[in-house]
Amino acid sequence: MKYKRILLKLSGEALMGEKQYGIDPKILSEYADEIKQIHDKGVEIAIVIGGGNIFRGVAGASSGMDRVQGDYMGMLATVINGMALQGALEDKGMLTRLQTALKIEAIAEPYIKRRAVRHLEKGRIVIFGAGTGNPYFTTDTAAVLRGVEVHADVILKGTRVDGVYTADPEKDKSAVKFDYISFEDVLKKGLNVMDTTAFTLSQENKLPIVVFDMNKKGNLLKICEGENVGTVVNI
């Protein structure tokens, strides 16, 4: 396998499937199947999942809610998604641990870096919930931060788009996909890969990012086996 330890970043919105909000059990089960394929090959897996299918702090703030309050609500949404994903993974026989940046001892371990690494070494899938535990930071930033802390080889950003394009492919049919692009070129061209804080953190720590379509079966396994899937962002 090309990567021994990965940080998989999943979108909360993707869990909605065809619904308007919430969690589609069918999507959860499909994601669990994809993750099991690489888990069975010995890849060590850490996961950060967004909360946009339940609540977004930025959206709350735009309609008059206090931004800090909204962001904490968003963090709790990521914990709900983490619990749902944990259940789906364990239903398929995988051992998991949910660690949260906010203390919620009844349902999750507090995030402790050494403990998280030990879980990964033992073959457990570690899900990181509640973002960084701080308002004004996205789950993209949480993903890169945790990836750096646990010494992941790569950030795999699973989205509904199959890579990074010159423009939004859903709006511009002439958009061209990159197979490989440098951090520097992403910034020069003003492309939207992750939010600026997350992207800069990844660049400074030389942690590559692969943007790919998580909803296409087999993509996750192909990436871990070294196939050219999605877009690789690297130094």
Side-chain angles (χ1 to χ4, degrees), residues 90-162:
E90 292 191 339
D91 282 347
K92 297 186 186 293
M94 289 166 275
L95 295 174
T96 69
R97 290 293 186 274
L98 175 61
Q99 291 197 344
T100 57
L102 302 174
K103 287 187 179 180
I104 318 175
E105 285 95 337
I107 56 173
E109 296 178 358
Y111 170 68
I112 298 171
K113 182 246 185 188
R114 289 178 184 275
R115 185 180 288 176
V117 170
R118 190 72 184 121
H119 287 322
L120 292 169
E121 289 171 348
K122 288 185 174 181
R124 297 168 186 148
I125 296 172
V126 183
I127 303 165
F128 298 119
T132 66
N134 301 288
Y136 296 99
F137 290 93
T138 66
T139 48
D140 275 353
T141 302
V144 177
L145 178 63
R146 296 292 182 249
V148 171
E149 287 181 312
V150 303
H151 310 297
D153 300 321
V154 66
I155 303 288
L156 301 183
K157 184 173 181 181
T159 67
R160 62 185 182 185
V161 182
D162 64 343

Side-chain angles (χ1 to χ4, degrees), residues 28-217:
L28 265 185
S29 180
E30 287 174 359
Y31 279 9
D33 285 334
E34 295 297 302
I35 291 166
K36 189 174 192 306
Q37 285 186 329
I38 63 170
H39 180 262
D40 289 349
K41 296 274 188 179
V43 177
E44 296 174 2
I45 307 160
I47 301 172
V48 169
I49 188 162
N53 56 321
I54 299 172
F55 189 84
R56 269 188 180 281
V58 174
S62 68
S63 56
M65 179 181 286
D66 177 68
R67 172 67 190 271
V68 174
Q69 188 83 338
D71 279 355
Y72 279 116
M73 291 170 69
M75 288 178 218
L76 295 178
T78 72
V79 177
I80 291 171
N81 283 342
M83 292 174 70
L85 183 61
Q86 182 179 36
L89 294 171
E90 292 191 339
D91 282 347
K92 297 186 186 293
M94 289 166 275
L95 295 174
T96 69
R97 290 293 186 274
L98 175 61
Q99 291 197 344
T100 57
L102 302 174
K103 287 187 179 180
I104 318 175
E105 285 95 337
I107 56 173
E109 296 178 358
Y111 170 68
I112 298 171
K113 182 246 185 188
R114 289 178 184 275
R115 185 180 288 176
V117 170
R118 190 72 184 121
H119 287 322
L120 292 169
E121 289 171 348
K122 288 185 174 181
R124 297 168 186 148
I125 296 172
V126 183
I127 303 165
F128 298 119
T132 66
N134 301 288
Y136 296 99
F137 290 93
T138 66
T139 48
D140 275 353
T141 302
V144 177
L145 178 63
R146 296 292 182 249
V148 171
E149 287 181 312
V150 303
H151 310 297
D153 300 321
V154 66
I155 303 288
L156 301 183
K157 184 173 181 181
T159 67
R160 62 185 182 185
V161 182
D162 64 343
V164 178
Y165 283 76
T166 51
D168 186 342
E170 294 179 348
K171 296 176 183 174
D172 185 351
K173 297 301 178 188
S174 65
V176 178
K177 176 176 166 280
F178 296 99
D179 289 331
Y180 177 94
I181 189 168
S182 69
F183 283 105
E184 192 177 340
D185 282 344
V186 168
L187 294 171
K188 275 183 188 172
K189 297 175 189 294
L191 302 174
N192 186 23
V193 175
M194 283 183 161
D195 74 78
T196 310
T197 307
F199 193 76
T200 304
L201 186 62
S202 190
Q203 182 182 22
E204 286 177 350
N205 289 279
K206 299 180 174 58
L207 182 60
I209 303 166
V210 179
V211 181
F212 71 105
D213 183 357
M214 182 66 189
N215 296 322
K216 187 172 180 183
K217 289 185 178 178

